[in-house]
Amino acid sequence: MVRDIMTRSVKTVRPDSTVIEAIRKMNKFDIGSIVVVHEGRPVGIITGRDILRRIVEPGLDPEVVRAREVMSSPPATIREDAVVEEATEAMTRRGIKKLPVVSGGRLIGIVTATDLVRSEPKMLSVLEGLLWTRRTPAAGRKPETRQRPQVNEV
């Protein structure tokens, strides 16, 4: 079950938090994304990529821009009682690596691609497509296929 592999201490910000607040929290806890919540319910997610594309590249001020303006919304979520395979399928289908976990609509955890691999090593082959091919390109961009690293067996 997803509840068995998720991380329970999810770092969050409010929709009216500034992007710099989100960045500082992400840096403090060495995390690549942060969930945006309103009254305990996930309303969005901000990733490092969102910050690069929506703040850094256009040259916006992260001390002025609010989380609601850069978050991906609505976030894909999964129930705590879902089986691990459902989480894997959802991530692969949507081309995402993090999935907020909810119970009754309220945020109670987060599950990542790393969590899935740790819990089910056989899921590695299923997640391979997610890790090497971005299936859902940003608006106006072509899908990107990355070269797999060369592995030399001894």
Side-chain angles (χ1 to χ4, degrees):
M1 299 293 234
V2 168
R3 76 170 65 89
D4 299 325
I5 66 166
M6 71 182 187
T7 299
R8 293 186 184 276
S9 66
V10 185
K11 305 308 176 206
T12 65
V13 293
R14 297 177 321 278
D16 62 342
S17 297
T18 62
V19 172
I20 197 70
E21 290 175 76
I23 291 169
R24 286 182 178 136
K25 194 174 270 191
M26 290 167 67
N27 286 337
K28 179 179 180 180
F29 294 101
D30 194 26
I31 53 176
S33 66
I34 196 158
V35 180
V36 182
V37 296
H38 177 70
E39 297 178 355
R41 299 180 184 280
V43 295
I45 190 165
I46 299 174
T47 66
R49 180 175 287 161
D50 291 331
I51 293 166
L52 289 172
R53 286 190 177 149
R54 298 174 185 163
I55 298 294
V56 176
E57 185 177 11
L60 300 178
D61 185 350
E63 293 188 17
V64 174
V65 179
R66 303 292 172 180
R68 75 170 63 81
E69 298 173 62
V70 298
M71 68 185 187
S72 296
S73 180
T77 61
I78 194 158
R79 296 175 334 275
E80 66 173 328
D81 60 350
V83 295
V84 173
E85 289 79 7
E86 286 180 66
T88 303
E89 290 169 12
M91 285 183 188
T92 303
R93 187 173 57 253
R94 294 173 185 215
I96 58 176
K97 298 175 188 171
K98 295 162 179 62
L99 201 53
V101 181
V102 295
S103 176
R106 299 185 73 77
L107 181 68
I108 61 163
I110 192 162
V111 66
T112 67
T114 302
D115 296 330
L116 296 175
V117 172
R118 281 186 189 139
S119 74
E120 302 272 341
K122 65 185 176 192
M123 291 293 175
L124 186 57
S125 63
V126 176
L127 288 169
E128 188 174 26
L130 174 63
L131 299 174
W132 296 109
T133 304
R134 186 172 34 179
R135 299 193 190 282
T136 53
R141 295 181 68 156
K142 294 182 180 178
E144 173 185 304
T145 301
R146 300 179 189 156
Q147 289 286 341
R148 292 185 183 173
Q150 189 73 30
V151 178
N152 296 321
E153 295 186 25
V154 179

